[in-house]
């Protein structure tokens, strides 16, 4: 299968880890619900890459289940920040080099801390952005630890449907 060779793909190849590419028709503002439906996988296994910044404007990445939200208050407490907020799309793009909707934790332009919701590691397989809209890569969650320096957090909230 032909798939895009993004900075994320280059990073995964350089780390010599196995992953499978998955292309789908990107839906503007469709989020993980749309990608999970397109790939016929549980939304819980689709991991979103979110960019936040601390009150001191220090950006960081949070990897969260597609069907969960991040408790900003709890995350700030766990990482020792006064407060946190989501980054603007411009800041997110400047920090990662990726367009919103195509943000991958792999191959980001700027080295930033990466926090992962602890329960992600309980999944047999995760689907995470490969660095382009409409492109996910699947892998065992342990791959995150092999490729990135990650810290586990417990900040997931059930999303109201």
């Amino acid at each position: 299968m032909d798939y895009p060779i993004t900075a994320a793909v280059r990073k995964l190849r350089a780390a010599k880890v196995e992953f499978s590419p998955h292309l789908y028709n990107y839906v503007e503002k469709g989020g993980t619900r749309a990608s999970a439906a397109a790939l016929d996988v549980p939304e819980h296994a689709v991991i979103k890459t979110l960019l936040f910044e601390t009150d001191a404007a220090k950006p960081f990445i949070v990897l969260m289940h597609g069907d969960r939200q991040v408790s900003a208050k709890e995350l700030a407490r766990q990482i020792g920040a006064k407060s946190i907020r989501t980054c603007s799309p411009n800041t997110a793009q400047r920090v990662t080099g990726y367009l919103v909707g195509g943000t991958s934790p792999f191959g980001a332009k700027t080295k930033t801390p990466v926090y992962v919701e602890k329960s992600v590691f309980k999944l047999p397989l995760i689907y995470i952005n490969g660095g382009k809209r409409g492109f996910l890569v699947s892998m065992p969650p342990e791959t995150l630890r092999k490729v990135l320096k990650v810290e586990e957090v417990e900040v997931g909230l059930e999303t109201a449907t």
Side-chain angles (χ1 to χ4, degrees), residues 15-38:
K16 296 186 177 4
V17 294
E18 295 209 10
F19 65 92
S20 300
H22 304 274
L23 293 166
Y24 65 96
N25 288 328
Y26 177 76
V27 178
E28 193 70 41
K29 301 208 184 319
T32 54
R33 183 170 290 154
S35 54

Side-chain angles (χ1 to χ4, degrees), residues 3-130:
Y3 60 90
I5 306 305
T6 61
V9 167
R10 285 193 284 278
K11 175 88 172 172
L12 292 167
R13 286 179 173 173
K16 296 186 177 4
V17 294
E18 295 209 10
F19 65 92
S20 300
H22 304 274
L23 293 166
Y24 65 96
N25 288 328
Y26 177 76
V27 178
E28 193 70 41
K29 301 208 184 319
T32 54
R33 183 170 290 154
S35 54
L39 299 177
D40 196 23
V41 299
E43 190 178 6
H44 195 68
V46 178
I47 306 304
K48 50 191 174 187
T49 305
L50 305 167
L51 261 93
F52 285 87
E53 59 188 2
T54 65
D55 48 299
K58 297 265 185 264
F60 61 94
I61 290 172
V62 178
L63 302 180
M64 180 56 71
H65 298 282
D67 60 354
R68 298 276 189 279
Q69 288 177 315
V70 173
S71 165
K73 191 179 257 174
E74 183 57 26
L75 181 57
R77 196 187 66 69
Q78 287 188 29
I79 68 170
K82 257 190 261 173
S83 64
I84 63 165
R85 63 185 170 271
T86 53
C87 286
S88 70
N90 287 347
T91 300
Q93 188 174 345
R94 191 184 71 242
V95 169
T96 64
Y98 295 116
L99 286 174
V100 170
T103 305
S104 177
F106 308 111
K109 246 174 31 183
T110 313
K111 231 181 176 33
T112 54
V114 179
Y115 298 96
V116 183
E117 178 66 18
K118 190 177 183 174
S119 55
V120 165
F121 292 105
K122 293 185 176 128
L123 296 169
L125 198 65
I126 60 170
Y127 296 79
I128 194 161
N129 202 289

